[in-house]
Amino acid sequence: MALSPTNSNDVFLQEVDEAVRKDRLDSIMQRYGLWILGGAVAALLAFGGYLYWGHRQEIARGEKAEALIAAFDKVKAGQPTAATADLKALEGGGSPAYRAAALIEQSNLKAKTGDLKAAAALIAKVAADPKLDQSLRDMALIRQTALEYDTLKPDAVIARLKPIVDAKAPASSWFASAAELSAAAYYSQGKYDQAGQLYGRIAKLPDVAKTLQSRAVQMAGMLGVDAVDDRAAESLKAEVEGARAAASAANAAPAAGDQKGTPGTAAAAKNEEAR
């Protein structure tokens, strides 16, 4: 059966269209084929390099962790010189976390020898490192201030720790330690109201260490801030809640005489036998 003129035109146009597309593709490959191939090879090489880099980073982190543990073991074994050498090697690495750990431990070693100036200089590097988590930097700043406290003016202590003490959203997890140092500085200046307020704030914290809380309560009371009543009210509330919970548990339990096999049941059985 012969094709209609319309069908013949459609087939012809389709063949022409395919020929044009092929010609364009050939032209593109002739002009840019090497560039396209080079780009594909470069992408593969870049991806392979990224995977290799990640693998090397993982190996390096493992090696640094082992080196840090070895340094801590030497500290425990009473080999501070050997430990310091290992810690200095870690300090020069590219990982902020391991560098911070090495600096903190070196600072501790210096403090144990009584070289507080060197200890403060080492921990100050951690406090000033913007690559570290803010909580770790706050801890380092408080440690640095405690080491330098006797050489600093009270105004310098208060100003240095003010961002930690005044932090609201979120509050610093190191507020209590910073507030105690600031309160001591206010006290040395004779600013007893400010010192008492800070001690009172520490005393009211729910999760503060008991020793620090006890000191804060005593100092606040001495400075005219009644933190004892607040703590007593909280303790009383906890006792009342505990008593209510115990009463609820007792009411929920079945009566002793009603339980099978209990002394009450046994006595009732004996009475029946006697009758």
Side-chain angles (χ1 to χ4, degrees), residues 11-267:
V11 172
F12 175 74
L13 291 174
Q14 184 177 358
E15 291 176 353
V16 170
D17 187 49
E18 290 177 356
V20 170
R21 283 200 298 268
K22 183 177 181 303
D23 183 63
R24 287 178 178 174
L25 181 60
D26 291 342
S27 178
I28 291 172
M29 291 303 297
Q30 288 175 2
R31 289 185 179 182
Y32 308 108
L34 292 178
W35 290 101
I36 294 172
L37 181 61
V41 172
L44 289 174
L45 289 175
F47 182 67
Y50 172 76
L51 293 178
Y52 178 74
W53 176 80
H55 176 66
R56 289 301 306 167
Q57 288 290 102
E58 189 69 26
I59 293 175
R61 282 193 291 268
E63 291 174 349
K64 288 183 182 296
E66 292 177 359
L68 184 61
I69 293 172
F72 287 156
D73 289 340
K74 290 177 183 178
V75 172
K76 292 180 180 179
Q79 302 173 359
T81 303
T84 300
D86 291 346
L87 292 169
K88 282 186 176 296
L90 285 170
E91 180 188 345
S95 172
Y98 286 111
R99 183 168 62 251
L103 287 168
I104 291 170
E105 188 60 26
Q106 287 182 78
S107 176
N108 292 338
L109 290 173
K110 289 292 185 182
K112 287 179 182 178
T113 64
D115 192 350
L116 301 185
K117 184 176 180 180
L122 287 166
I123 201 70
K125 294 181 181 179
V126 179
D129 192 343
K131 295 181 180 180
L132 296 174
D133 182 77
Q134 188 60 50
S135 179
L136 182 59
R137 294 178 64 190
D138 287 350
M139 181 278 294
L141 185 62
I142 292 169
R143 175 65 172 165
Q144 176 192 352
T145 305
L147 291 168
E148 296 177 337
Y149 187 86
D150 291 336
T151 64
L152 294 173
K153 293 183 177 179
D155 285 340
V157 173
I158 295 166
R160 179 184 290 183
L161 299 178
K162 185 176 178 60
I164 301 176
V165 174
D166 292 347
K168 300 295 183 183
S172 174
S173 55
W174 295 98
F175 162 78
S177 298
E180 185 179 30
L181 287 171
S182 298
Y186 278 124
Y187 185 87
S188 66
Q189 290 181 320
K191 298 179 179 180
Y192 303 127
D193 289 342
Q194 291 92 325
Q197 289 173 6
L198 281 178
Y199 282 123
R201 288 176 62 187
I202 297 170
K204 295 176 183 178
L205 293 175
D207 300 324
V208 71
K210 294 298 182 183
T211 53
L212 175 54
Q213 187 179 81
S214 178
R215 290 197 304 270
V217 169
Q218 292 176 8
M219 290 299 298
M222 186 180 73
L223 295 171
V225 177
D226 193 0
V228 178
D229 289 344
D230 293 335
R231 302 307 305 174
E234 292 179 6
S235 299
L236 179 61
K237 181 180 178 181
E239 291 178 3
V240 171
E241 291 178 352
R244 288 176 178 174
S248 298
N251 292 334
D258 294 338
Q259 297 180 22
K260 184 177 181 181
T262 59
T265 305

